[in-house]
Amino acid sequence: MQQISVYVLPVLVIILLVVCIVKKVRAYDCFLVGAKESLSLVKSIFPYIASIFVCIELFKASGLSHTVSSFLAKPLGYIGVPSEIAELILLVPLSGNGTTALLEKTIAEYGADSYITRCASVIAGGSETVFYISAVYFASTKVKKLRYAIPVSLFCTFIGALLACALCRFM
């Protein structure tokens, strides 16, 4: 299976070039136009992304992440979520790298086949960084009124974590 995956990207590029030749599309010129437009997009959304990264790092470095997760651990335990992954649940909407680091720590501490690690793996693999995605998408579309987008996304992320733990309990 691994040998096939090595050829997927080159085959896709060749197919793309053949289609461009058949349709008489100047592929390189289209590529340059797209690259130029992407630079202006990066320039417009960079402040939003930078502010999200600074806030996330302040949240983790201040110890507030650990404090809030310690506070939430007991109520989460009552509804079936292992208290050991409370910080992971709190960090999932904020930081993909932080989530991966906590997942690695959980695997090392509890073993790969434990219920805690299975829950953490499903939560980390099935979630997305809500604030980063919101910053990128809403900045690129120039949407200013977010209304309920972030609260609904956070609620759905939390419900997904609860369902992940429930499913891991039965599997």
Side-chain angles (χ1 to χ4, degrees):
M1 187 64 153
Q2 185 179 4
Q3 294 172 350
I4 294 172
S5 65
V6 172
Y7 297 107
V8 171
L9 188 59
V11 168
L12 286 175
V13 170
I14 290 169
I15 290 171
L16 177 68
L17 290 175
V18 168
V19 169
C20 287
I21 289 170
V22 168
K23 292 193 173 206
K24 294 181 174 52
V25 174
R26 300 182 73 166
Y28 187 70
D29 292 340
C30 292
F31 174 77
L32 291 178
V33 168
K36 187 188 292 184
E37 289 176 7
S38 70
L39 289 176
S40 65
L41 176 65
V42 168
K43 181 182 173 188
S44 68
I45 66 173
F46 181 76
Y48 299 99
I49 294 172
S51 65
I52 290 295
F53 284 148
V54 168
C55 290
I56 290 167
E57 287 305 314
L58 286 174
F59 183 66
K60 289 191 294 187
S62 69
L64 189 58
S65 170
H66 183 68
T67 304
V68 172
S69 64
S70 297
F71 177 73
L72 293 175
K74 197 163 204 131
L76 287 174
Y78 288 134
I79 56 176
V81 177
S83 59
E84 295 85 356
I85 61 171
E87 189 171 9
L88 180 92
I89 292 172
L90 192 61
L91 202 57
V92 160
L94 301 173
S95 170
N97 290 338
T99 301
T100 303
L102 277 178
L103 178 60
E104 183 180 335
K105 179 181 163 190
T106 303
I107 292 169
E109 190 171 334
Y110 297 103
D113 293 329
S114 70
Y115 170 67
I116 294 168
T117 301
R118 286 195 320 264
C119 288
S121 297
V122 173
I123 291 167
S127 302
E128 188 55 70
T129 52
V130 171
F131 290 102
Y132 173 77
I133 296 299
S134 298
V136 171
Y137 289 156
F138 289 128
S140 65
T141 59
K142 297 185 179 25
V143 172
K144 298 294 182 203
K145 296 180 181 177
L146 301 181
R147 279 216 138 138
Y148 302 112
I150 291 177
V152 168
S153 298
L154 292 173
F155 177 74
C156 290
T157 300
F158 180 70
I159 295 299
L162 294 179
L163 289 174
C165 291
L167 288 173
C168 286
R169 185 172 297 279
F170 297 113
M171 297 182 131

